[in-house]
PDB file of all heavy atoms in Angstrom:
ATOM      1  N   THR A  62       6.635 -11.723   1.333  1.00 96.00           N
ATOM      2  CA  THR A  62       5.805 -12.841   1.767  1.00 96.00           C
ATOM      3  C   THR A  62       4.343 -12.481   1.996  1.00 96.00           C
ATOM      4  O   THR A  62       3.513 -13.380   2.136  1.00 96.00           O
ATOM      5  CB  THR A  62       6.361 -13.434   3.068  1.00 96.00           C
ATOM      6  OG1 THR A  62       6.401 -12.407   4.077  1.00 96.00           O
ATOM      7  CG2 THR A  62       7.777 -13.976   2.865  1.00 96.00           C
ATOM      8  N   ARG A  63       4.027 -11.183   2.030  1.00 96.00           N
ATOM      9  CA  ARG A  63       2.657 -10.796   2.358  1.00 96.00           C
ATOM     10  C   ARG A  63       2.280  -9.515   1.622  1.00 96.00           C
ATOM     11  O   ARG A  63       3.054  -8.568   1.556  1.00 96.00           O
ATOM     12  CB  ARG A  63       2.524 -10.588   3.873  1.00 96.00           C
ATOM     13  CG  ARG A  63       1.138 -10.222   4.336  1.00 96.00           C
ATOM     14  CD  ARG A  63       1.095  -9.985   5.828  1.00 96.00           C
ATOM     15  NE  ARG A  63       0.980 -11.228   6.587  1.00 96.00           N
ATOM     16  CZ  ARG A  63       0.923 -11.282   7.922  1.00 96.00           C
ATOM     17  NH1 ARG A  63       1.006 -10.167   8.621  1.00 96.00           N
ATOM     18  NH2 ARG A  63       0.802 -12.437   8.525  1.00 96.00           N
ATOM     19  N   ALA A  64       1.078  -9.500   1.051  1.00 96.00           N
ATOM     20  CA  ALA A  64       0.574  -8.287   0.401  1.00 96.00           C
ATOM     21  C   ALA A  64       0.571  -7.131   1.389  1.00 96.00           C
ATOM     22  O   ALA A  64       0.245  -7.300   2.569  1.00 96.00           O
ATOM     23  CB  ALA A  64      -0.837  -8.528  -0.123  1.00 96.00           C
ATOM     24  N   GLY A  65       0.936  -5.952   0.892  1.00 96.00           N
ATOM     25  CA  GLY A  65       0.984  -4.776   1.750  1.00 96.00           C
ATOM     26  C   GLY A  65       2.387  -4.403   2.184  1.00 96.00           C
ATOM     27  O   GLY A  65       2.584  -3.342   2.789  1.00 96.00           O
ATOM     28  N   GLN A  66       3.376  -5.234   1.860  1.00 97.00           N
ATOM     29  CA  GLN A  66       4.749  -4.883   2.205  1.00 97.00           C
ATOM     30  C   GLN A  66       5.308  -3.867   1.209  1.00 97.00           C
ATOM     31  O   GLN A  66       4.750  -3.653   0.133  1.00 97.00           O
ATOM     32  CB  GLN A  66       5.620  -6.142   2.232  1.00 97.00           C
ATOM     33  CG  GLN A  66       5.289  -7.076   3.396  1.00 97.00           C
ATOM     34  CD  GLN A  66       6.158  -8.319   3.396  1.00 97.00           C
ATOM     35  OE1 GLN A  66       6.188  -9.074   2.428  1.00 97.00           O
ATOM     36  NE2 GLN A  66       6.873  -8.532   4.487  1.00 97.00           N
ATOM     37  N   TYR A  67       6.425  -3.262   1.567  1.00 97.00           N
ATOM     38  CA  TYR A  67       7.005  -2.197   0.748  1.00 97.00           C
ATOM     39  C   TYR A  67       8.524  -2.267   0.839  1.00 97.00           C
ATOM     40  O   TYR A  67       9.096  -3.092   1.574  1.00 97.00           O
ATOM     41  CB  TYR A  67       6.497  -0.830   1.216  1.00 97.00           C
ATOM     42  CG  TYR A  67       6.770  -0.556   2.680  1.00 97.00           C
ATOM     43  CD1 TYR A  67       7.914   0.118   3.089  1.00 97.00           C
ATOM     44  CD2 TYR A  67       5.865  -0.980   3.666  1.00 97.00           C
ATOM     45  CE1 TYR A  67       8.167   0.353   4.428  1.00 97.00           C
ATOM     46  CE2 TYR A  67       6.112  -0.755   5.009  1.00 97.00           C
ATOM     47  CZ  TYR A  67       7.270  -0.083   5.391  1.00 97.00           C
ATOM     48  OH  TYR A  67       7.511   0.139   6.727  1.00 97.00           O
ATOM     49  N   LEU A  68       9.200  -1.389   0.120  1.00 97.00           N
ATOM     50  CA  LEU A  68      10.655  -1.295   0.203  1.00 97.00           C
ATOM     51  C   LEU A  68      11.091   0.112  -0.192  1.00 97.00           C
ATOM     52  O   LEU A  68      10.283   0.946  -0.569  1.00 97.00           O
ATOM     53  CB  LEU A  68      11.332  -2.362  -0.671  1.00 97.00           C
ATOM     54  CG  LEU A  68      10.897  -2.541  -2.130  1.00 97.00           C
ATOM     55  CD1 LEU A  68      11.305  -1.366  -3.008  1.00 97.00           C
ATOM     56  CD2 LEU A  68      11.522  -3.816  -2.714  1.00 97.00           C
ATOM     57  N   GLN A  69      12.387   0.361  -0.065  1.00 98.00           N
ATOM     58  CA  GLN A  69      12.964   1.613  -0.539  1.00 98.00           C
ATOM     59  C   GLN A  69      13.628   1.360  -1.888  1.00 98.00           C
ATOM     60  O   GLN A  69      14.234   0.306  -2.097  1.00 98.00           O
ATOM     61  CB  GLN A  69      14.018   2.141   0.429  1.00 98.00           C
ATOM     62  CG  GLN A  69      13.489   2.511   1.805  1.00 98.00           C
ATOM     63  CD  GLN A  69      14.601   3.033   2.688  1.00 98.00           C
ATOM     64  OE1 GLN A  69      15.110   4.133   2.493  1.00 98.00           O
ATOM     65  NE2 GLN A  69      14.981   2.240   3.673  1.00 98.00           N
ATOM     66  N   LEU A  70      13.525   2.327  -2.760  1.00 98.00           N
ATOM     67  CA  LEU A  70      14.152   2.233  -4.076  1.00 98.00           C
ATOM     68  C   LEU A  70      15.002   3.474  -4.307  1.00 98.00           C
ATOM     69  O   LEU A  70      14.534   4.604  -4.114  1.00 98.00           O
ATOM     70  CB  LEU A  70      13.083   2.089  -5.160  1.00 98.00           C
ATOM     71  CG  LEU A  70      13.579   1.839  -6.590  1.00 98.00           C
ATOM     72  CD1 LEU A  70      12.571   0.993  -7.362  1.00 98.00           C
ATOM     73  CD2 LEU A  70      13.811   3.162  -7.329  1.00 98.00           C
ATOM     74  N   ARG A  71      16.259   3.263  -4.713  1.00 97.00           N
ATOM     75  CA  ARG A  71      17.167   4.368  -4.988  1.00 97.00           C
ATOM     76  C   ARG A  71      17.400   4.500  -6.485  1.00 97.00           C
ATOM     77  O   ARG A  71      17.574   3.503  -7.190  1.00 97.00           O
ATOM     78  CB  ARG A  71      18.520   4.152  -4.290  1.00 97.00           C
ATOM     79  CG  ARG A  71      18.464   4.264  -2.801  1.00 97.00           C
ATOM     80  CD  ARG A  71      19.818   4.511  -2.158  1.00 97.00           C
ATOM     81  NE  ARG A  71      20.854   3.563  -2.510  1.00 97.00           N
ATOM     82  CZ  ARG A  71      21.929   3.324  -1.757  1.00 97.00           C
ATOM     83  NH1 ARG A  71      22.090   3.977  -0.607  1.00 97.00           N
ATOM     84  NH2 ARG A  71      22.842   2.452  -2.140  1.00 97.00           N
ATOM     85  N   VAL A  72      17.400   5.742  -6.926  1.00 96.00           N
ATOM     86  CA  VAL A  72      17.683   6.064  -8.321  1.00 96.00           C
ATOM     87  C   VAL A  72      19.042   6.753  -8.370  1.00 96.00           C
ATOM     88  O   VAL A  72      19.300   7.648  -7.552  1.00 96.00           O
ATOM     89  CB  VAL A  72      16.590   6.989  -8.896  1.00 96.00           C
ATOM     90  CG1 VAL A  72      16.953   7.457 -10.293  1.00 96.00           C
ATOM     91  CG2 VAL A  72      15.243   6.282  -8.898  1.00 96.00           C
ATOM     92  N   PRO A  73      19.922   6.375  -9.292  1.00 90.00           N
ATOM     93  CA  PRO A  73      21.228   7.040  -9.381  1.00 90.00           C
ATOM     94  C   PRO A  73      21.081   8.560  -9.514  1.00 90.00           C
ATOM     95  O   PRO A  73      20.309   9.049 -10.340  1.00 90.00           O
ATOM     96  CB  PRO A  73      21.843   6.441 -10.655  1.00 90.00           C
ATOM     97  CG  PRO A  73      21.201   5.099 -10.775  1.00 90.00           C
ATOM     98  CD  PRO A  73      19.799   5.279 -10.276  1.00 90.00           C
ATOM     99  N   GLY A  74      21.771   9.270  -8.658  1.00 86.00           N
ATOM    100  CA  GLY A  74      21.737  10.726  -8.714  1.00 86.00           C
ATOM    101  C   GLY A  74      20.675  11.367  -7.853  1.00 86.00           C
ATOM    102  O   GLY A  74      20.704  12.583  -7.639  1.00 86.00           O
ATOM    103  N   ALA A  75      19.717  10.595  -7.336  1.00 90.00           N
ATOM    104  CA  ALA A  75      18.661  11.156  -6.491  1.00 90.00           C
ATOM    105  C   ALA A  75      19.175  11.337  -5.067  1.00 90.00           C
ATOM    106  O   ALA A  75      19.963  10.528  -4.567  1.00 90.00           O
ATOM    107  CB  ALA A  75      17.435  10.251  -6.486  1.00 90.00           C
ATOM    108  N   ALA A  76      18.706  12.386  -4.397  1.00 90.00           N
ATOM    109  CA  ALA A  76      19.184  12.680  -3.043  1.00 90.00           C
ATOM    110  C   ALA A  76      18.646  11.691  -2.021  1.00 90.00           C
ATOM    111  O   ALA A  76      19.332  11.357  -1.048  1.00 90.00           O
ATOM    112  CB  ALA A  76      18.773  14.104  -2.664  1.00 90.00           C
ATOM    113  N   TRP A  77      17.427  11.210  -2.236  1.00 94.00           N
ATOM    114  CA  TRP A  77      16.785  10.351  -1.244  1.00 94.00           C
ATOM    115  C   TRP A  77      16.128   9.152  -1.925  1.00 94.00           C
ATOM    116  O   TRP A  77      15.681   9.259  -3.064  1.00 94.00           O
ATOM    117  CB  TRP A  77      15.706  11.125  -0.473  1.00 94.00           C
ATOM    118  CG  TRP A  77      16.214  12.346   0.205  1.00 94.00           C
ATOM    119  CD1 TRP A  77      16.092  13.641  -0.214  1.00 94.00           C
ATOM    120  CD2 TRP A  77      16.944  12.400   1.436  1.00 94.00           C
ATOM    121  NE1 TRP A  77      16.690  14.493   0.670  1.00 94.00           N
ATOM    122  CE2 TRP A  77      17.220  13.768   1.691  1.00 94.00           C
ATOM    123  CE3 TRP A  77      17.376  11.439   2.342  1.00 94.00           C
ATOM    124  CZ2 TRP A  77      17.931  14.183   2.813  1.00 94.00           C
ATOM    125  CZ3 TRP A  77      18.075  11.851   3.467  1.00 94.00           C
ATOM    126  CH2 TRP A  77      18.348  13.209   3.695  1.00 94.00           C
ATOM    127  N   PRO A  78      16.035   8.034  -1.216  1.00 96.00           N
ATOM    128  CA  PRO A  78      15.281   6.905  -1.774  1.00 96.00           C
ATOM    129  C   PRO A  78      13.786   7.178  -1.699  1.00 96.00           C
ATOM    130  O   PRO A  78      13.329   8.060  -0.974  1.00 96.00           O
ATOM    131  CB  PRO A  78      15.682   5.734  -0.865  1.00 96.00           C
ATOM    132  CG  PRO A  78      16.040   6.374   0.437  1.00 96.00           C
ATOM    133  CD  PRO A  78      16.644   7.711   0.093  1.00 96.00           C
ATOM    134  N   SER A  79      13.038   6.409  -2.447  1.00 96.00           N
ATOM    135  CA  SER A  79      11.582   6.505  -2.435  1.00 96.00           C
ATOM    136  C   SER A  79      11.008   5.238  -1.809  1.00 96.00           C
ATOM    137  O   SER A  79      11.479   4.133  -2.088  1.00 96.00           O
ATOM    138  CB  SER A  79      11.056   6.666  -3.873  1.00 96.00           C
ATOM    139  OG  SER A  79       9.664   6.830  -3.888  1.00 96.00           O
ATOM    140  N   PHE A  80      10.018   5.384  -0.929  1.00 96.00           N
ATOM    141  CA  PHE A  80       9.331   4.230  -0.344  1.00 96.00           C
ATOM    142  C   PHE A  80       8.183   3.843  -1.278  1.00 96.00           C
ATOM    143  O   PHE A  80       7.330   4.675  -1.598  1.00 96.00           O
ATOM    144  CB  PHE A  80       8.777   4.562   1.040  1.00 96.00           C
ATOM    145  CG  PHE A  80       9.824   4.607   2.117  1.00 96.00           C
ATOM    146  CD1 PHE A  80      10.574   5.747   2.334  1.00 96.00           C
ATOM    147  CD2 PHE A  80      10.060   3.494   2.914  1.00 96.00           C
ATOM    148  CE1 PHE A  80      11.535   5.799   3.326  1.00 96.00           C
ATOM    149  CE2 PHE A  80      11.023   3.527   3.905  1.00 96.00           C
ATOM    150  CZ  PHE A  80      11.768   4.685   4.123  1.00 96.00           C
ATOM    151  N   LEU A  81       8.149   2.574  -1.697  1.00 97.00           N
ATOM    152  CA  LEU A  81       7.143   2.114  -2.651  1.00 97.00           C
ATOM    153  C   LEU A  81       6.494   0.827  -2.163  1.00 97.00           C
ATOM    154  O   LEU A  81       7.188  -0.131  -1.793  1.00 97.00           O
ATOM    155  CB  LEU A  81       7.783   1.865  -4.020  1.00 97.00           C
ATOM    156  CG  LEU A  81       8.431   3.062  -4.721  1.00 97.00           C
ATOM    157  CD1 LEU A  81       9.113   2.601  -6.001  1.00 97.00           C
ATOM    158  CD2 LEU A  81       7.405   4.145  -5.027  1.00 97.00           C
ATOM    159  N   ALA A  82       5.165   0.800  -2.176  1.00 97.00           N
ATOM    160  CA  ALA A  82       4.445  -0.439  -1.882  1.00 97.00           C
ATOM    161  C   ALA A  82       4.562  -1.375  -3.083  1.00 97.00           C
ATOM    162  O   ALA A  82       4.503  -0.935  -4.229  1.00 97.00           O
ATOM    163  CB  ALA A  82       2.978  -0.141  -1.587  1.00 97.00           C
ATOM    164  N   ILE A  83       4.722  -2.650  -2.812  1.00 98.00           N
ATOM    165  CA  ILE A  83       4.834  -3.641  -3.886  1.00 98.00           C
ATOM    166  C   ILE A  83       3.425  -3.959  -4.385  1.00 98.00           C
ATOM    167  O   ILE A  83       2.549  -4.350  -3.606  1.00 98.00           O
ATOM    168  CB  ILE A  83       5.552  -4.906  -3.396  1.00 98.00           C
ATOM    169  CG1 ILE A  83       6.941  -4.537  -2.862  1.00 98.00           C
ATOM    170  CG2 ILE A  83       5.663  -5.927  -4.527  1.00 98.00           C
ATOM    171  CD1 ILE A  83       7.667  -5.688  -2.184  1.00 98.00           C
ATOM    172  N   ALA A  84       3.204  -3.783  -5.682  1.00 98.00           N
ATOM    173  CA  ALA A  84       1.868  -3.943  -6.252  1.00 98.00           C
ATOM    174  C   ALA A  84       1.569  -5.371  -6.677  1.00 98.00           C
ATOM    175  O   ALA A  84       0.404  -5.763  -6.756  1.00 98.00           O
ATOM    176  CB  ALA A  84       1.696  -3.006  -7.453  1.00 98.00           C
TER     177      ALA A  84
END
Side-chain angles (χ1 to χ4, degrees):
T62 58
R63 182 182 278 180
Q66 291 180 302
Y67 56 93
L68 50 70
Q69 296 180 71
L70 186 149
R71 291 199 306 203
V72 174
W77 303 101
S79 183
F80 284 84
L81 299 175
I83 302 172

